[in-house]
Amino acid sequence: MAAVLESLLREEVSVAAVVRWIARSTRGSEVTALTRPQDNPGEAAALSSLRPLRKEFVPFLLNFLREQSSRVLPQGPPTPAKAPGASAALPGRPGGPSRGSRGARSQLFPPTEAASTAAEAPLARRGGRRRGPGPARERGGRGLEEGVSGENLPGAGGRRLRGSGSPSRPSLTLSDPPNLSNLEEFPPVGSVPPGPAGTKPSRRINPTPVSEERSLSKPKTCFTSPPISCVPSSQPSALDTSPWGLGLPPGCRSLQEEREMLRKERSKQLQQSPTPTCPTPELGSPLPSRAGSLTDEPADPARVSSRQRLELVALVYSSCIAENLVPNLFLELFFVFQLLTARRMVTAKDSDPELSPGVLDSLESPLFQSIHDCVFFAVQVLECHFQVLSNLDKGTLKLLAENERLLCFSPALQGRLRAAYEGSVAKVSLAMPPSAQAVSFQPETDNRANFSSDRAFHTFKKQRDVFYEVLREWEDHHEEPGWDFEKGLGSRIRAMMGQLSAACSHSHFVRLFQKQLLQMCQSPGGAGGTVLGEAPDVLSMLGADKLGRLWRLQERLMAPQSSGGPCPPPTFPGCQGFFRDFILSASSFQFNQHLMDSLSLKIRELNGLALPQHEPSDEDGESDVDWQGERRQFAVVLLSLRLLAKFLGFVAFLPYRGPEPPPTGELQDSILALRSQVPPVLDVRTLLQRGLQARRAVLTVPWLVEFLSFADHVVPLLDYYRDIFILLLRLHRSLVLSQESEGKMCFLNKLLLLAVLGWLFQIPTVPEDLFFLEEGPSDAFEVDTVAPEHGLDAAPVVDQQLLYTCCPYIGELRKLLALWVSGSSGRSGGFMRKITPTTTTGLGAQPSQTSQGLQARLAQAFFHNQPPSLRRTVEFVAERIGSNCVKHIKATLVADLVRQAESLLQEQLVTQGEEGGDPAQLLEILCSQLCPHGAQALALGREFCQRKSPGAVRALLPEETPAAVLSSAENIAVGLATEKACAWLSANITALIRREVKAAVSRTLRAQGPEPAARGERRGCSRACEHHAPLPSHLISEIKDVLSLAVGPRDPDEGVSPEHLEQLLGQLGQTLRCRQFLCPPAEQHLAKCSVELASLLVADQIPILGPPAQYRLERGQARRLLHMLLSLWKEDFQGPVPLQLLLSPRNVGLLADTRPREWDLLLFLLRELVEKGLMGRMEIEACLGSLHQAQWPGDFAEELATLSNLFLAEPPLPEPQLRACELVQPNRGTVLAQS
Amino acid sequence: MILTKAQYEEIAQCLVSVPPTRQSLRKLKQRFPSQSQATLLSIFSQEYQKHIKRTHAKHHTSEAIESYYQRYLNGVVKNGAAPVLLDLANEVDYAPSLMARLILERFLQEHEETAPSKSVINSMLRDPSQIPDGVLANQVYQCIVNDCCYGPLVDCIKHAIGHEHEVLLRDLLLEKNLSFLDEDQLRAKGYDKTPDFILQVPVAVEGHIIHWIESKASFGDECSHHAYLHDQFWSYWNRDGISQCCSGWCGTPGLSSSSASASQSAGITGMRKHFLPGILMKCVCK
């Protein structure tokens, strides 16, 4: 394996080739494809010789990176490198060598006696937040394991050397078979270590070089080293010539010395530790010490030692992550974040003196020689995974975007992250208000008729009371220190279970239990402590708004508690703990069986629920409103399923779990034979297959993972479940995030699946080799099965809220970053927002808010006692009316505003002239004027909901509904609809107005663009118009015919009659007056054609049909036609008429061909143009002037000059009457021209 | 009016290598007096366009352009007033407007030294007065007004027909009280590709359910139908999510149902004859 990495580093093979090589191996495709055309044959040869090692490459790489980073992250990888190393060669054997690395999870199912330990764990974790810089590692179970394993340092160190610490002989070490009988190395999972020393499960521990100058009993925070800056200067220059520039400071202490120190430290600490089994809390030391003695080492991109090598490894690593070749995406991200936020480099003590410069053994020298290297590597990897990062929650994005190291190493990535942060709406809150209530009496199932006897009925009644009593007691006490569930409630629960004699009573109780479970725990987080009216008075006093703040505050205070590290073991947070403890305490076989039946049934029902599918076509504002509801519905179903499946898994595998180690050898075989006979409690394999086929993996897989997370060690070895794991593995591999296409899974859906699957693969009971082995039958999983076009997978059902709710451990990333910020707060100023305490003075003045909370609870109570259909109806009405309200607002208020915007824009354009100014600026001006009007939307929306909701509720509820119920239902519907609509409106109205105005502006500007004059006032046809005018297309075609006749060539018998011409112009007038069919381009062409026609008339070029003598148009007729044209131009054309074309050289040139030349028509036309105001004198003068520049025959030029002189000589503004009478007589121009 | 496939083919037969001039159209009209000029022109135009598409390339080789240009220059030197360019186009069996464009381009290349931009050429073709050479301006103008299949004027006529028929169709829908969304409304709703009209309540016409109507102001032969299907209709279908699509010319199968007829709105009687003169309504049916 090392050979592969080395050849990569030596650039013998390309990264792409390596990734292809790995991916092929894991996909199990044929070897013949090895030499593909794009593969360099040399590369292929280099790699093919290593073929047998292919599947071990990824584990090797992961271990290698963890190994290399040990100096930076001195406490050892927090991330169990669930990479089996050599053990991959032993498929199907449980407990690989790194089994111990997950020893922390052995506390998963503590024996009841150990409850006190478990109870203390959260306390310990809560403290973790304030602890030292070692991120998350010391938190939760992981910390426990470290404390334990630290005692075995020498042994662990030895293992490290054997495992991968001496990579120069990789094949040797890899083929070393694990010593499975060594309990130290392969500790039984689930075993409770008998004592503080000696036989603790060990895991691969990276020796942590420690310096002397540490304060007492604060081992974690005291790792210091000489400042790295002194390193280069003290380095012999010869070393710098080494390609990897060793960068090891001289005078490193030997590792042995370090270990000695550590041992001393350990013993000191043990003396102080009150609970030797759980040394976690003591491991963490208070933060302040860091601020004093420890300063973070600044990272400098200029001081990265071996860029190229880091880039290569980062690229391979990123590619493995991108191809889902690593078991857990978020674990790797966590690791990378750790590198990014590494505080300081621990001095490398184990520098090899024989590592001489020039030796090209790339793996011999450390990959990360300084903080700079780590950060550089981390940033390189992060750059490749921007897409994933950009889909994290807003808080994480903010922290990332504000990370100064990131800015320093990759301003581009930082910029993109900042943009992603600014565009993100993914505010995630894990602490949701718990909706806790007792399950109401269900008339249809809880009535007497459903019980076999009166006695059973009454027993159940009593049991119900006992159950709630127990629940309330648990609520009151479970957070008290020293309170024990079993001690406090165990006997009462068992007594109650004992009364459940009849089988049917069991089913009744189980239904109650399950409903209560769903009710209390399905709310996201499910961890909320408030149940059954805990301190409601104080909270409701705060009002809804303040309550939200309180929850946020609470979330921030409690956050670290919610999960332990990036791969926490399955737990039962919050209320779920009650139900788990209840099941354990009851220890009733009947109850468990009934519970499993009931859970299975409910899971099947929910899993098969037809969830609405998203129509991807119409992405519009208001469809958001509808879609939000659907997304919420999906979230509720998914979370319910996960909860149910978790408990089903818990109960179903309960009998097989125990503290004893997983069996091996013959014993295991016999157990396997036995267990394979047992039918699964729920046919999850079929459900999974169906889910995949129907493209509903996003619903099925998350709950299945919950179910499987409680499996015992034997389960993954059973054929039935092995199939499931293989299916899941294939699915995992197929969820390549970068591949996005129509109809395929949405990004966040994939992310959710990757997160839950990655988590599952880290569960202790799942053999780690499973992930890297995977050579099962390939036909078991066909992604491209016949499936509906758009399954649930393709719908954007998952949002960040759901993702983080399902996988709270993703939040660890944020914590890591936050820890970094808080640690370096001295430098970067007050980064963490302070929590501003709110005073209670204003409370009295806000009775409405107080009553709001009460109202909400009243509504809950109201529904509680009504049939479920009533609630559904009310919610449905609220949903629809709310959505309609948004649409209504859009069609009325927003449309009005857009109209206003258009008129404002017109004004703006008029005042600013034709330029109009910068469109973006215009938009800003308009928006700033109009957006404030959006505030009306809320009032209008409220009014709309008020008006519409009651009628709808009334129509949908039964006629017989009592009036009081009806009016309450109506009021609630109004309230809910208003809330829904107003929430959407207040969040989106400004954006909506902005978007619409923007569209309107660009529309207007576009229309404005090419011909501003054409946009002038446009008259429609008169009211009496019946639109019988000839069609414009017909007219253009007709005029074109005349033009082509006139221009020729033509047959001798071709021509037009004067009547036809007159008729044509008449029709043109009609068409121009009836504007029904006229579009601007048609009008433009008509105008141009009419000008051409006029020119032909003036030049007398139109061939006239009729007696041969009358081949030409009569002068009077020509004038009449010209008059018609003039009046059309004056009266009927609404667009510009290109009259200057009349004096274009080409058209005037037409006159040159006529003999004798007649100028009077032209002169007449020019005068009329001026008189009618169609053209200015100056304009005509200019045209005439430019005519002189053209090349003309000599005599023609002279005549032209005469004409222009004549025209210019005329008085500027002659009397119209005079002109009219002059028309009759041959005017002076004609005489002159003819002379 | 419905044109049978046989009739259509008969007309098309007469149009093989006929120049697209006024004279040709007149002859066609005499040959098929029962067909309206608009129908004949539409068929003529379409057939001629097919012909040009086939032969276009050979006129655009640099040798061809050079020889045309030389012939043009020789011609105008002899007699600038003669229809040199038009005759040349007819002789080599190329559309006069396109020939004019070719020569104009070549001319400008020679005189302006830099290759003229497309917009300059188009603008000169629209208004030949802008052409610096008077003789060429006249020649170009002559080509344009004499070409009944190509050129800015013809383009404008086609565009106008399209617009007119959209208006006619809208009137018809209003008259029949059919609620619809037009293109502008659809675009405002964010549709990227829109048919002319989407019926808000589908109607059944001769057993086909019509969801939307697209009017194409051109003759619908098989070839253009397929092209439209490819370019437009499937994308409407994809967006409107109708499960099954069959499109045909006005409901009856095959070309026999093609409609292309009179230029006047007289023939419009209602949706029973669900086509409009001179246009094709393509109905996508469920």
Side-chain angles (χ1 to χ4, degrees):
Chain A
M1 283 309 94
V4 178
L5 207 53
E6 275 168 36
S7 56
L8 184 78
L9 292 178
R10 287 200 215 96
E11 293 180 36
E12 281 168 12
V13 291
S14 72
V15 174
V18 169
V19 176
R20 272 202 302 278
W21 176 75
I22 310 158
R24 217 173 292 134
S25 78
T26 47
R27 286 192 184 123
S29 65
E30 64 275 37
V31 192
T32 48
L34 198 68
T35 47
R36 274 196 237 161
Q38 72 262 37
D39 281 356
N40 181 334
E43 290 176 359
L47 292 174
S48 64
S49 62
L50 299 163
R51 193 182 311 154
L53 303 171
R54 273 204 300 212
K55 68 184 166 197
E56 288 164 23
F57 179 78
V58 175
F60 170 78
L61 178 69
L62 298 186
N63 279 336
F64 172 73
L65 287 172
R66 304 282 195 274
E67 201 83 42
Q68 291 292 317
S69 63
S70 59
R71 283 202 307 146
V72 196
L73 313 168
Q75 297 88 344
T79 47
K82 198 168 174 167
S87 76
L90 302 167
R93 303 295 294 272
S98 59
R99 159 78 62 221
S101 69
R102 294 161 313 151
R105 287 188 185 151
S106 57
Q107 290 294 351
L108 242 192
F109 307 107
T112 23
E113 308 87 66
S116 59
T117 318
E120 274 171 40
L123 289 174
R125 282 193 225 117
R126 201 172 302 164
R129 197 175 157 83
R130 284 176 287 103
R131 236 174 277 132
R137 186 163 310 108
E138 63 273 71
R139 215 175 288 137
R142 189 81 39 231
L144 168 96
E145 144 190 56
E146 250 135 49
V148 168
S149 51
E151 289 151 32
N152 294 331
L153 262 185
R159 236 193 103 211
R160 170 180 176 264
L161 281 175
R162 198 171 52 82
S164 41
S166 56
S168 50
R169 302 183 303 277
S171 53
L172 236 175
T173 41
L174 288 175
S175 61
D176 210 359
N179 182 359
L180 288 172
S181 56
N182 184 346
L183 274 178
E184 228 177 18
E185 287 192 26
F186 307 103
V189 171
S191 65
V192 179
T199 54
K200 294 283 173 55
S202 83
R203 57 193 275 266
R204 202 184 63 195
I205 287 297
N206 306 296
T208 45
V210 183
S211 80
E212 248 173 352
E213 64 232 40
R214 64 214 145 89
S215 57
L216 292 175
S217 76
K218 283 163 189 165
K220 285 275 174 172
T221 51
C222 293
F223 296 119
T224 53
S225 58
I228 201 82
S229 51
C230 74
V231 170
S233 58
S234 59
Q235 199 72 358
S237 60
L239 271 180
D240 289 341
T241 61
S242 143
W244 313 122
L246 265 174
L248 299 175
C252 290
R253 247 169 266 278
S254 77
L255 202 60
Q256 206 50 49
E257 212 173 324
E258 297 269 322
R259 285 178 188 140
E260 206 46 56
M261 282 157 49
L262 199 67
R263 210 169 285 144
K264 275 188 223 152
E265 196 59 45
R266 172 74 52 198
S267 64
K268 244 185 253 168
Q269 185 200 320
L270 281 176
Q271 283 157 16
Q272 296 162 354
S273 163
T275 46
T277 45
C278 184
T280 325
E282 283 66 45
L283 276 177
S285 65
L287 186 73
S289 72
R290 174 169 25 86
S293 67
L294 260 179
T295 47
D296 302 325
E297 207 174 311
D300 180 5
R303 290 169 56 195
V304 174
S305 56
S306 48
R307 266 170 192 278
Q308 201 188 6
R309 188 169 66 142
L310 287 168
E311 270 170 14
L312 273 173
V313 178
L315 200 56
V316 176
Y317 182 52
S318 302
S319 307
C320 289
I321 296 176
E323 291 279 327
N324 291 334
L325 297 173
V326 297
N328 189 333
L329 167 70
F330 287 101
L331 194 56
E332 301 311 318
L333 279 184
F334 186 80
F335 172 65
V336 173
F337 275 36
Q338 277 189 311
L339 286 180
L340 178 71
T341 57
R343 301 243 170 224
R344 55 197 300 108
M345 191 67 148
V346 174
T347 323
K349 306 286 166 158
D350 49 353
S351 64
D352 259 326
E354 67 264 36
L355 232 176
S356 53
V359 171
L360 249 172
D361 197 343
S362 16
L363 298 184
E364 206 63 55
S365 69
L367 185 66
F368 303 118
Q369 294 176 14
S370 61
I371 284 290
H372 320 296
D373 289 1
C374 292
V375 178
F376 179 76
F377 178 82
V379 173
Q380 288 286 314
V381 176
L382 290 181
E383 272 182 340
C384 300
H385 298 283
F386 170 73
Q387 207 185 3
V388 177
L389 298 180
S390 65
N391 276 289
L392 294 176
D393 72 318
K394 199 164 179 157
T396 312
L397 276 175
K398 181 179 160 72
L399 287 169
L400 258 183
E402 286 172 347
N403 186 300
E404 66 270 32
R405 280 186 170 171
L406 207 65
L407 175 64
C408 189
F409 277 75
S410 175
L413 177 62
Q414 196 264 350
R416 287 161 78 200
L417 284 168
R418 177 157 290 281
Y421 161 68
E422 277 155 12
S424 172
V425 288
K427 275 197 181 164
V428 169
S429 158
L430 288 184
M432 291 290 281
S435 64
Q437 266 189 329
V439 173
S440 66
F441 182 81
Q442 307 283 311
E444 65 271 29
T445 49
D446 292 353
N447 65 12
R448 165 68 186 87
N450 288 307
F451 289 85
S452 55
S453 64
D454 274 345
R455 199 170 144 256
F457 180 57
H458 290 295
T459 312
F460 178 66
K461 234 169 47 184
K462 266 184 246 158
Q463 270 156 355
R464 195 186 172 96
D465 294 338
V466 174
F467 178 64
Y468 283 115
E469 196 186 308
V470 167
L471 181 55
R472 267 191 298 272
E473 194 163 332
W474 173 80
E475 251 165 30
D476 291 346
H477 298 294
H478 75 279
E479 277 175 329
E480 286 172 15
W483 186 81
D484 181 36
F485 189 94
E486 172 60 33
K487 262 186 229 154
L489 303 170
S491 56
R492 236 183 306 167
I493 290 172
R494 275 188 295 279
M496 181 188 96
M497 297 313 282
Q499 290 173 339
L500 288 171
S501 48
C504 93
S505 313
H506 271 293
S507 73
H508 279 287
F509 180 73
V510 159
R511 196 174 52 240
L512 177 70
F513 183 86
Q514 184 180 313
K515 281 204 164 152
Q516 191 63 44
L517 171 71
L518 278 176
Q519 205 154 315
M520 278 173 75
C521 308
Q522 118 206 111
S523 68
T530 14
V531 202
L532 287 186
E534 180 200 291
D537 2 304
V538 181
L539 290 183
S540 59
M541 284 263 291
L542 287 167
D545 182 44
K546 297 255 167 54
L547 214 52
R549 273 197 219 168
L550 184 71
W551 275 319
R552 282 208 298 281
L553 178 61
Q554 186 183 3
E555 184 196 350
R556 274 167 73 178
L557 292 175
M558 315 270 277
Q561 184 184 7
S562 57
S563 66
C567 299
T571 50
F572 292 92
C575 312
Q576 295 179 17
F578 169 79
F579 294 91
R580 178 205 50 195
D581 291 344
F582 187 96
I583 293 168
L584 288 175
S585 282
S587 57
S588 158
F589 166 73
Q590 293 101 319
F591 171 65
N592 287 358
Q593 188 59 48
H594 280 277
L595 185 60
M596 283 194 287
D597 296 348
S598 174
L599 289 169
S600 303
L601 184 75
K602 189 76 183 166
I603 288 174
R604 275 179 182 284
E605 181 193 317
L606 285 178
N607 187 51
L609 206 63
L611 289 164
Q613 283 168 18
H614 189 44
E615 279 291 330
S617 58
D618 182 20
E619 279 301 340
D620 204 355
E622 63 246 36
S623 66
D624 278 2
V625 186
D626 299 346
W627 189 235
Q628 268 169 15
E630 278 150 25
R631 202 178 275 161
R632 204 161 46 232
Q633 193 197 348
F634 175 80
V636 168
V637 171
L638 182 71
L639 292 174
S640 303
L641 271 170
R642 279 169 59 88
L643 184 68
L644 296 171
K646 185 192 226 178
F647 274 89
L648 181 63
F650 175 68
V651 181
F653 298 116
L654 192 60
Y656 305 105
R657 268 187 325 243
E660 67 276 1
T664 49
E666 277 181 32
L667 185 58
Q668 185 190 345
D669 292 343
S670 68
I671 289 177
L672 275 179
L674 193 66
R675 286 284 294 277
S676 58
Q677 302 296 312
V678 183
V681 57
L682 174 67
D683 191 359
V684 282
R685 185 172 63 183
T686 313
L687 288 178
L688 174 63
Q689 281 163 345
R690 278 201 212 125
L692 291 172
Q693 270 165 12
R695 295 191 195 274
R696 285 163 69 92
V698 71
L699 182 67
T700 305
V701 171
W703 69 253
L704 182 63
V705 164
E706 287 286 289
F707 175 77
L708 291 174
S709 70
F710 282 92
D712 59 286
H713 287 101
V714 178
V715 166
L717 308 177
L718 298 170
D719 284 346
Y720 179 87
Y721 287 103
R722 202 167 178 80
D723 285 356
I724 293 176
F725 275 106
I726 286 170
L727 280 173
L728 291 178
L729 278 167
R730 298 257 159 88
L731 176 69
H732 181 267
R733 194 75 29 97
S734 74
L735 294 170
V736 178
L737 286 168
S738 55
Q739 288 171 2
E740 281 205 83
S741 56
E742 182 92 0
K744 288 284 169 60
M745 206 179 284
C746 288
F747 189 86
L748 277 168
N749 297 7
K750 277 190 196 169
L751 214 53
L752 172 67
L753 292 189
L754 281 180
V756 294
L757 286 173
W759 177 76
L760 178 69
F761 297 143
Q762 300 290 336
I763 297 283
T765 43
V766 179
E768 53 271 312
D769 54 6
L770 196 78
F771 182 83
F772 294 103
L773 169 79
E774 183 251 338
E775 296 290 347
S778 59
D779 54 340
F781 179 52
E782 290 292 322
V783 195
D784 297 313
T785 41
V786 221
E789 270 282 299
H790 295 292
L792 208 51
D793 285 350
V797 282
V798 177
D799 56 6
Q800 276 87 355
Q801 178 68 47
L802 184 61
L803 178 67
Y804 277 73
T805 306
C806 290
C807 316
Y809 33 86
I810 302 178
E812 292 296 313
L813 297 176
R814 179 178 174 174
K815 279 173 209 157
L816 209 53
L817 294 169
L819 216 57
W820 161 252
V821 171
S822 64
S824 54
S825 59
R827 252 202 330 270
S828 58
F831 214 163
M832 297 287 268
R833 264 196 304 161
K834 297 286 175 288
I835 296 166
T836 327
T838 35
T839 54
T840 50
T841 45
L843 276 184
Q846 291 167 320
S848 63
Q849 285 197 335
T850 313
S851 66
Q852 232 174 25
L854 191 63
Q855 275 297 321
R857 285 190 294 132
L858 265 177
Q860 291 292 324
F862 169 72
F863 284 130
H864 199 243
N865 297 325
Q866 297 293 334
S869 68
L870 179 91
R871 186 187 195 128
R872 282 201 299 273
T873 307
V874 168
E875 280 172 351
F876 174 72
V877 166
E879 156 97 28
R880 295 320 314 156
I881 299 284
S883 170
N884 292 349
C885 172
V886 170
K887 288 180 183 139
H888 180 71
I889 298 286
K890 200 179 162 192
T892 53
L893 176 71
V894 177
D896 279 346
L897 289 176
V898 167
R899 269 194 291 280
Q900 276 185 41
E902 276 167 345
S903 58
L904 280 172
L905 183 64
Q906 289 295 346
E907 283 171 29
Q908 203 81 28
L909 288 173
V910 169
T911 53
Q912 296 199 353
E914 285 182 12
E915 294 301 304
D918 180 30
Q921 211 181 340
L922 275 176
L923 181 68
E924 281 312 314
I925 296 170
L926 287 174
C927 286
S928 64
Q929 283 178 346
L930 293 173
C931 286
H933 293 286
Q936 299 167 26
L938 293 184
L940 289 171
R942 219 166 275 138
E943 194 265 332
F944 182 90
C945 295
Q946 192 84 47
R947 190 156 39 89
K948 294 282 183 185
S949 307
V953 172
R954 223 171 298 141
L956 290 175
L957 288 183
E959 286 282 311
E960 290 71 27
T961 312
V965 173
L966 189 63
S967 85
S968 295
E970 285 171 12
N971 289 339
I972 295 171
V974 169
L976 287 175
T978 312
E979 191 183 312
K980 187 178 163 66
C982 289
W984 193 91
L985 286 171
S986 58
N988 297 307
I989 188 74
T990 311
L992 181 67
I993 293 174
R994 213 185 157 78
R995 194 178 64 191
E996 296 290 312
V997 169
K998 190 179 177 187
V1001 165
S1002 62
R1003 210 162 44 224
T1004 314
L1005 288 179
R1006 226 184 4 250
Q1008 196 84 15
E1011 350 105 48
R1015 292 271 316 162
E1017 30 91 58
R1018 277 203 170 268
R1019 290 159 290 174
C1021 13
S1022 65
R1023 198 163 295 174
C1025 178
E1026 291 183 31
H1027 314 310
H1028 288 317
L1031 294 172
S1033 61
H1034 171 71
L1035 273 175
I1036 302 175
S1037 169
E1038 293 281 305
I1039 297 177
K1040 176 174 166 278
D1041 273 358
V1042 175
L1043 294 178
S1044 71
L1045 260 179
V1047 172
R1050 55 180 172 259
D1051 299 338
D1053 58 333
E1054 279 185 309
V1056 287
S1057 66
E1059 294 76 34
H1060 179 68
L1061 282 176
E1062 237 169 281
Q1063 190 198 347
L1064 202 59
L1065 293 184
Q1067 287 183 339
L1068 182 55
Q1070 287 174 31
T1071 300
L1072 289 170
R1073 282 186 289 275
C1074 165
R1075 310 200 62 90
Q1076 171 88 332
F1077 297 104
L1078 205 56
C1079 57
E1083 192 177 352
Q1084 276 170 36
H1085 270 93
L1086 282 172
K1088 221 169 89 194
C1089 288
S1090 66
V1091 173
E1092 301 281 350
L1093 200 61
S1095 289
L1096 290 166
L1097 279 172
V1098 164
D1100 196 13
Q1101 293 269 344
I1102 296 179
I1104 294 300
L1105 282 178
Q1110 200 204 347
Y1111 190 65
R1112 292 186 155 187
L1113 209 53
E1114 226 179 276
R1115 194 64 35 88
Q1117 274 176 327
R1119 285 193 177 211
R1120 207 166 45 244
L1121 290 170
L1122 283 178
H1123 256 297
M1124 285 178 85
L1125 279 168
L1126 280 163
S1127 122
L1128 286 174
W1129 294 334
K1130 174 79 183 161
E1131 308 291 336
D1132 298 321
F1133 276 104
Q1134 291 184 9
V1137 180
L1139 291 168
Q1140 68 286 354
L1141 282 182
L1142 287 169
L1143 290 172
S1144 73
R1146 193 175 64 80
N1147 283 330
V1148 173
L1150 291 172
L1151 277 168
D1153 302 336
T1154 49
R1155 297 237 174 238
R1157 293 189 189 117
E1158 297 183 23
W1159 294 89
D1160 57 332
L1161 280 173
L1162 182 59
L1163 200 58
F1164 161 76
L1165 189 61
L1166 293 180
R1167 282 178 183 149
E1168 287 296 312
L1169 284 173
V1170 174
E1171 190 169 314
K1172 285 198 166 10
L1174 287 163
M1175 273 181 104
R1177 283 182 73 87
M1178 306 292 284
E1179 203 183 341
I1180 294 182
E1181 279 169 33
C1183 288
L1184 286 172
S1186 61
L1187 272 180
H1188 292 306
Q1189 289 154 18
Q1191 301 267 315
W1192 304 110
D1195 57 333
F1196 185 78
E1198 264 172 45
E1199 287 178 30
L1200 196 63
T1202 320
L1203 174 97
S1204 50
N1205 286 337
L1206 203 63
F1207 178 77
L1208 295 176
E1210 281 180 14
L1213 268 173
E1215 289 291 315
Q1217 284 83 4
L1218 201 98
R1219 310 299 314 167
C1221 57
E1222 203 185 345
L1223 276 177
V1224 197
Q1225 297 156 3
N1227 59 41
R1228 280 186 297 155
T1230 322
V1231 178
L1232 190 130
Q1234 283 168 340
S1235 61
Chain B
M1 195 164 81
I2 289 173
L3 189 72
T4 64
K5 186 164 181 165
Q7 277 175 314
Y8 173 83
E9 272 166 6
E10 196 187 349
I11 297 170
Q13 202 61 46
C14 294
L15 290 170
V16 179
S17 65
V18 167
T21 56
R22 181 164 39 89
Q23 289 88 346
S24 312
L25 196 61
R26 199 174 56 216
K27 279 179 211 145
L28 201 63
K29 229 154 58 179
Q30 285 159 3
R31 174 83 199 275
F32 300 99
S34 60
Q35 303 297 339
S36 76
Q37 172 160 347
T39 307
L40 292 174
L41 183 59
S42 183
I43 298 175
F44 189 5
S45 183
Q46 224 138 344
E47 286 297 306
Y48 190 71
Q49 280 178 29
K50 274 192 250 170
H51 168 74
I52 289 294
K53 267 180 208 148
R54 280 195 302 271
T55 57
H56 176 79
K58 79 170 180 195
H59 301 292
H60 273 253
T61 60
S62 53
E63 298 82 20
I65 294 174
E66 207 47 48
S67 96
Y68 296 158
Y69 188 57
Q70 286 311 323
R71 286 177 66 178
Y72 158 76
L73 288 180
N74 294 338
V76 290
V77 162
K78 263 183 242 157
N79 180 8
V84 180
L85 210 47
L86 186 62
D87 287 346
L88 176 63
N90 289 339
E91 194 189 316
V92 301
D93 197 10
Y94 196 45
S97 296
L98 300 179
M99 179 61 87
R101 172 187 284 270
L102 219 60
I103 298 297
L104 178 62
E105 249 174 46
R106 178 67 186 75
F107 172 85
L108 291 175
Q109 258 169 29
E110 192 170 286
H111 290 80
E112 316 259 299
E113 280 159 19
T114 53
S117 74
K118 214 168 177 160
S119 64
V120 168
I121 301 263
N122 283 337
S123 146
M124 287 185 173
L125 288 173
R126 270 198 302 273
D127 177 14
S129 307
Q130 297 172 5
I131 299 175
D133 180 276
V135 177
L136 182 58
N138 285 332
Q139 294 281 344
V140 167
Y141 188 67
Q142 191 173 39
C143 283
I144 286 165
V145 291
N146 275 295
D147 194 330
C148 63
C149 292
Y150 280 96
L153 270 173
V154 177
D155 289 347
C156 176
I157 293 171
K158 285 183 185 166
H159 181 266
I161 291 176
H163 178 76
E164 287 154 18
H165 289 295
E166 227 177 282
V167 176
L168 284 173
L169 188 52
R170 176 197 307 272
D171 288 351
L172 207 58
L173 291 172
L174 286 172
E175 188 190 316
K176 294 288 152 194
N177 232 346
L178 296 175
S179 168
F180 60 86
L181 292 174
D182 67 16
E183 229 171 327
D184 290 338
Q185 289 165 308
L186 289 173
R187 220 169 276 130
K189 283 195 158 228
Y191 280 68
D192 49 352
K193 286 208 167 190
T194 55
D196 288 340
F197 301 98
I198 282 187
L199 300 181
Q200 283 181 322
V201 182
V203 293
V205 175
E206 290 177 9
H208 299 289
I209 292 173
I210 298 176
H211 286 260
W212 51 261
I213 303 170
E214 168 80 11
S215 97
K216 283 284 157 220
S218 63
F219 192 83
D221 61 3
E222 246 163 334
C223 158
S224 62
H225 183 193
H226 281 237
Y228 280 128
L229 251 190
H230 189 261
D231 293 342
Q232 288 185 299
F233 299 147
W234 287 120
S235 45
Y236 303 154
W237 180 80
N238 295 338
R239 279 158 188 76
D240 298 334
I242 296 162
S243 60
Q244 201 194 345
C245 158
C246 94
S247 97
W249 304 111
C250 313
T252 15
L255 256 179
S256 59
S257 62
S258 295
S259 81
S261 98
S263 54
Q264 293 298 314
S265 50
I268 305 169
T269 53
M271 285 301 285
R272 203 185 57 78
K273 286 238 175 277
H274 44 279
F275 62 85
L276 291 170
I279 65 158
L280 287 156
M281 281 171 41
K282 294 159 190 184
C283 317
V284 165
C285 311
K286 197 168 183 177

